[in-house]
C-alpha cells in the first residue's frame, strides 16, 4: 500500500492552456474522488467514480472540466482553456467498502497556478 | 444538502493546554461525521469518524469528538496539545446511503505556542 499518488505535484500554466492531472489510487480501491481546495477553504467535491463509472458530478465541474477513469484504475482530470479562477489544489482520494467500512485516503494534491 | 460550519478560522493554544475545535453541521437526518487533519504538503488524514452508536468517538493521536444531535455539533477535543498538532483541521459531513462523499468545512488553523 503506497498510498494515493498524484502527479504532477505542481503545475504552472498560462491562461487558456489545457492541463491534465493524474491520480493513482490505492490498489483495488473501487471508488475515486476529485476535490478542489482553494486557499483558506475546505476541499470542495468535484466528482467521483465507482470503478470506471462516473457516478456524480458537482455543479462546480463546468464544461471545461472532464474526468476519466479508464479500466477503473488511475484517473485523469483535464481542464481546458484554463482561467485564473482555476488556480487551486486539486485533491484525489480513493476508498473501498461501503457505509461504516468506507474510509477515504487522500493524495497530497496537485497545485495548479494559472498565470 | 448538507453543510458544515467551523466558526473559528484560527485557534492558538499553548503546548500542553487542552483544545476544543468547534463544528456545526446541517443535515436533515443523522449524518456521518468526520474530522480530518492536513499538515503542509501532506494529504488529508482521517482523525476519527462517527457513524452510529456511542456519541463519544475516539480517534488517532489522542483526539476525541462528541456528537451532540440537539446542538448539531461534532466538536473535536484533545486534553493536552503537542507542538506537532499544529495543522489545519477540517470537519466534514456525509449523507447516509451509498458513498457518503464528505462535504467539508472551511477548516480551523491550529497554532501551538511553546
Amino acid at each position: 500500500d503506497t498510498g494515493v499518488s498524484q502527479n504532477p505535484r505542481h503545475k504552472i500554466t498560462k491562461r487558456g492552456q489545457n492541463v491534465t492531472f493524474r491520480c493513482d489510487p490505492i490498489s483495488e480501491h473501487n471508488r475515486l474522488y476529485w476535490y478542489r481546495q482553494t486557499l483558506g477553504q475546505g476541499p470542495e467535491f468535484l466528482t467521483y467514480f465507482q470503478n470506471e463509472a462516473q457516478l456524480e458530478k458537482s455543479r462546480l465541474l463546468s464544461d471545461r472540466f472532464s474526468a476519466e477513469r479508464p479500466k477503473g484504475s488511475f484517473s485523469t482530470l483535464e481542464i481546458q482553456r484554463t482561467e485564473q479562477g482555476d488556480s487551486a489544489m486539486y485533491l484525489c482520494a480513493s476508498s473501498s467498502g461501503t457505509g461504516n467500512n468506507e474510509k477515504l485516503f487522500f493524495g497530497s494534491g496537485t497545485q495548479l497556478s494559472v498565470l | 444538502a448538507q453543510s458544515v460550519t467551523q466558526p473559528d478560522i484560527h485557534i492558538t493554544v499553548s503546548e500542553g493546554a487542552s483544545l476544543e475545535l468547534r463544528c456545526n453541521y446541517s443535515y436533515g437526518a443523522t449524518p456521518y461525521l468526520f474530522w480530518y487533519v492536513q499538515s503542509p504538503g501532506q494529504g488529508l488524514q482521517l482523525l476519527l469518524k462517527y457513524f452510529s452508536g456511542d456519541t463519544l468517538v475516539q480517534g488517532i493521536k489522542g483526539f476525541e469528538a462528541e456528537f451532540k444531535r440537539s446542538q448539531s455539533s461534532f466538536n473535536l477535543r484533545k486534553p493536552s496539545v503537542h507542538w506537532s498538532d499544529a495543522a489545519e483541521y477540517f470537519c466534514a459531513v456525509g449523507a447516509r446511503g451509498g458513498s457518503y462523499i464528505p462535504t467539508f468545512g472551511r477548516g480551523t488553523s491550529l497554532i501551538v505556542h511553546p
Side-chain angles (χ1 to χ4, degrees):
Chain A
D1 179 358
T2 58
V4 178
S5 177
Q6 292 190 247
N7 288 287
R9 291 294 302 272
H10 304 275
K11 179 69 177 178
I12 300 173
T13 190
K14 293 182 179 179
R15 187 176 52 190
Q17 298 294 304
N18 299 344
V19 294
T20 300
F21 312 139
R22 177 179 171 122
C23 172
D24 287 274
I26 293 172
S27 178
E28 298 181 356
H29 275 192
N30 59 350
R31 289 197 174 99
L32 187 147
Y33 304 76
W34 284 100
Y35 281 80
R36 181 176 70 185
Q37 185 177 20
T38 53
L39 198 63
Q41 300 296 320
E44 297 172 294
F45 169 73
L46 293 178
T47 188
Y48 103 94
F49 292 83
Q50 180 150 323
N51 300 312
E52 67 275 10
Q54 188 173 19
L55 295 188
E56 191 161 336
K57 293 194 292 186
S58 162
R59 287 171 295 179
L60 292 175
L61 213 66
S62 75
D63 292 345
R64 298 184 296 105
F65 288 70
S66 63
E68 295 183 340
R69 193 184 183 196
K71 303 179 183 178
S73 57
F74 72 92
S75 176
T76 57
L77 178 67
E78 180 183 17
I79 309 174
Q80 296 181 324
R81 305 180 303 282
T82 52
E83 301 173 357
Q84 289 185 326
D86 297 330
S87 295
M89 176 76 82
Y90 289 84
L91 299 170
C92 177
S94 69
S95 72
S96 62
T98 57
N100 290 10
N101 296 317
E102 182 171 12
K103 180 180 175 181
L104 269 66
F105 292 83
F106 282 84
S108 297
T110 294
Q111 180 68 54
L112 173 65
S113 298
V114 181
L115 305 178
Chain B
Q2 63 262 32
S3 66
V4 172
T5 300
Q6 292 182 249
D8 303 306
I9 297 175
H10 303 282
I11 289 281
T12 302
V13 299
S14 297
E15 191 169 14
S18 63
L19 171 70
E20 183 169 27
L21 301 183
R22 296 184 290 165
C23 171
N24 292 96
Y25 69 89
S26 174
Y27 183 63
T30 301
Y32 294 145
L33 293 163
F34 312 86
W35 276 98
Y36 285 83
V37 61
Q38 186 178 39
S39 298
Q42 304 294 316
L44 287 151
Q45 181 182 22
L46 180 67
L47 287 175
L48 47 78
K49 61 184 181 182
Y50 171 78
F51 277 27
S52 63
D54 192 347
T55 56
L56 184 62
V57 180
Q58 301 298 319
I60 62 171
K61 304 184 180 185
F63 286 94
E64 67 176 26
E66 186 171 11
F67 169 55
K68 292 186 177 180
R69 184 193 310 273
S70 62
Q71 298 176 18
S72 298
S73 70
F74 189 57
N75 294 349
L76 181 72
R77 301 193 293 251
K78 187 170 184 177
S80 178
V81 170
H82 187 262
W83 63 267
S84 61
D85 293 324
E88 194 82 18
Y89 291 81
F90 294 94
C91 181
V93 61
R96 294 180 179 265
S99 179
Y100 49 69
I101 309 180
T103 297
F104 288 84
R106 64 178 297 167
T108 296
S109 178
L110 175 64
I111 301 164
V112 180
H113 281 317

